[in-house]
Amino acid sequence: MNRWLVPLLAAGVLVALLAGACLYTVDEREQVVITRFGRPIRTVKEPGLHFKQPFVDDVNVFNRQVLAWDGSPDQVPTSDKKYIFVDTFARWRIVDPLRFFQSVHDERGAQLRLDDIIDGATRDVISQNTLVEVVRNTNRTLPRDEESSGIEIEIPDVKLGRDALARQIYDKASEKVQDAFGLELLDVQIKRINYVQEVRQKVFERMISERKRIAELFRSQGQRNLQEIAGLKDKELKRIQSEAYYKAQQIRGKADAEAARIYARAYGQDGEFYQFTETLKALRDTVEGENTLLLTTDSDFLKYLKRLAPRR
C-alpha cells in the first residue's frame, strides 16, 4: 500500500498543475483577452470556468466596471482673457478589451491617454467661452441683493452655461477615445474652477470694494430712513405738545374764569374787607427785609396801619 502512495500523490500533483495551467475563471466584473506568445487570439467576456492551452496561453484580465478618471487642475485662459484653473473628472469603462489591449495595454496607459484627450478638449472649449459661461448655468437673479436693498448687480447673460460646456468637452473627448482605444467615455464634469494666484488677489480686492459700495448704500438708506423717522417723530411730538397746550390753556382759562367769578362774588359781599386784605399783602411784599418805607398822610397803607396799631 505504501508502495503506491507516492506515485498517486505525484500523479495528483501533476494533474493539479495541468488543471491550473489549462483552466481559468472569469468573474462577472471581469473580461479577458487570451494571448499566445504575446499575440491576442480571442476575447472572453462570459463569466465562469474556461480552458486555455497550458504554458503557451496567457490570461490578461480587464475590469468591466465603471472606472474613474481624475484630472489635475490646468491653467486655461477664457475668451475674455481671464486666467483660471479648471479641474475636471470623468467616468469610463472598457467596451472592447481586444482593442483596448492592443492600443493602451492596461488601465495605466488608458489614464495617460485620457489625460491628454480630456485636458485638450477642456482647453479648447474653455478658451472659446467667457468666464461667466464657465461659472454659471442660468441667468438666475440674486434676490438677496435686489429685494433687500434695491441694488442691481449687472451680470452678463449666460447663453450656454457650465453644464453645456461640460457636455461639449465630453463630446470632443468621446469622439477620440471610443473607436481608437476600445473604451467608452460615460461622463465628463467640471469639478472646480478658480483664478490663478496672480489674479486671485485682485479679484478679492474688487469683491471687497463692491461689498463696501453696497454697504455704503445700505448706510445711506439707513440714514435717510433715520431722518424720515426723526422728522415724523418731531412732527408727532409738536402735534401732541400743541394739543396739550391747547387743552392746558382751556383748563387755565376755565380756572381763571372761575377765580374771577369767585373774586367778583367776594367783592360783592364785602368789598372793604377784600381791599383791606389785598393792601396787607402788598404791604408785606413791599417792606420785606430791611427796606424803609416812607408814607404820606393820605396813603392807603398808612390808613390801614393806623387801624392795626394798638390804641392808647
Side-chain angles (χ1 to χ4, degrees):
M1 185 65 182
N2 294 332
R3 181 176 61 172
W4 296 100
L5 182 59
V6 174
L8 288 174
L9 291 175
V13 172
L14 181 60
V15 170
L17 291 175
L18 289 175
C22 296
L23 300 175
Y24 64 94
T25 58
V26 178
D27 190 84
E28 293 86 352
R29 298 165 296 178
E30 298 174 342
Q31 49 192 340
V32 171
V33 173
I34 303 297
T35 58
R36 181 172 297 167
F37 301 112
R39 297 179 59 185
I41 58 174
R42 68 176 181 275
T43 300
V44 180
K45 293 185 177 181
E46 296 77 12
L49 187 65
H50 298 271
F51 294 91
K52 67 181 181 67
Q53 291 189 12
F55 309 115
V56 295
D57 289 349
D58 294 323
V59 179
N60 301 276
V61 181
F62 300 102
N63 203 325
R64 296 184 68 175
Q65 300 180 98
V66 176
L67 303 173
W69 174 87
D70 193 0
S72 58
D74 290 330
Q75 181 176 335
V76 183
T78 61
S79 61
D80 50 351
K81 306 304 179 184
K82 302 294 194 306
Y83 286 86
I84 57 175
F85 280 113
V86 181
D87 192 0
T88 55
F89 71 94
R91 297 292 181 265
W92 62 282
R93 64 184 175 186
I94 302 170
V95 294
D96 188 347
L98 179 59
R99 185 179 295 275
F100 181 83
F101 176 77
Q102 292 173 335
S103 58
V104 296
H105 192 68
D106 55 16
E107 291 182 14
R108 179 178 176 81
Q111 295 282 2
L112 294 176
R113 293 297 181 89
L114 289 174
D115 287 344
D116 297 335
I117 294 172
I118 298 178
D119 287 345
T122 301
R123 183 177 296 275
D124 292 342
V125 172
I126 297 299
S127 61
Q128 295 173 5
N129 292 273
T130 61
L131 178 63
V132 69
E133 297 284 351
V134 182
V135 174
R136 306 195 74 199
N137 271 325
T138 64
N139 290 313
R140 180 178 61 88
T141 58
L142 304 176
R144 181 184 62 183
D145 289 337
E146 293 179 1
E147 294 179 2
S148 61
S149 62
I151 301 168
E152 295 184 359
I153 300 176
E154 296 184 0
I155 300 177
D157 290 337
V158 176
K159 298 179 180 179
L160 295 175
R162 182 169 175 169
D163 291 341
L165 298 186
R167 185 67 186 179
Q168 289 184 8
I169 296 173
Y170 165 79
D171 292 338
K172 283 181 173 291
S174 182
E175 293 175 358
K176 299 179 181 180
V177 300
Q178 186 163 352
D179 296 334
F181 306 114
L183 58 88
E184 179 185 9
L185 193 61
L186 301 176
D187 187 26
V188 176
Q189 293 293 332
I190 298 174
K191 180 169 65 175
R192 185 171 64 92
I193 297 173
N194 204 351
Y195 284 104
V196 297
Q197 187 63 35
E198 292 79 6
V199 182
R200 197 176 306 169
Q201 186 61 34
K202 294 181 179 179
V203 173
F204 289 159
E205 292 175 357
R206 186 168 68 249
M207 293 172 64
I208 291 171
S209 64
E210 181 67 19
R211 293 295 98 183
K212 287 183 177 179
R213 183 182 68 83
I214 295 175
E216 289 299 326
L217 289 177
F218 274 113
R219 292 191 185 95
S220 63
Q221 289 180 352
Q223 290 295 328
R224 184 167 62 250
N225 294 336
L226 176 63
Q227 295 299 326
E228 292 178 356
I229 294 172
L232 292 175
K233 182 204 70 173
D234 293 339
K235 181 179 179 181
E236 184 67 14
L237 180 60
K238 290 180 180 179
R239 184 186 66 81
I240 294 172
Q241 289 177 341
S242 63
E243 290 180 356
Y245 179 77
Y246 174 74
K247 292 179 180 180
Q249 291 299 110
Q250 284 184 330
I251 295 171
R252 185 177 289 111
K254 291 179 180 180
D256 291 342
E258 182 66 16
R261 186 183 65 79
I262 295 172
Y263 287 151
R265 188 175 61 182
Y267 292 158
Q269 292 179 358
D270 192 348
E272 181 68 19
F273 176 75
Y274 178 79
Q275 185 178 6
F276 173 68
T277 57
E278 291 299 318
T279 302
L280 291 180
K281 290 180 182 179
L283 180 61
R284 181 188 60 192
D285 295 336
T286 303
V287 298
E288 184 179 3
E290 298 180 355
N291 297 328
T292 301
L293 182 63
L294 298 177
L295 301 175
T296 61
T297 56
D298 58 348
S299 172
D300 290 336
F301 283 162
L302 183 61
K303 180 177 63 176
Y304 287 110
L305 285 175
K306 288 180 179 180
R307 292 181 181 180
L308 293 176
R311 295 181 179 180
R312 296 181 180 178

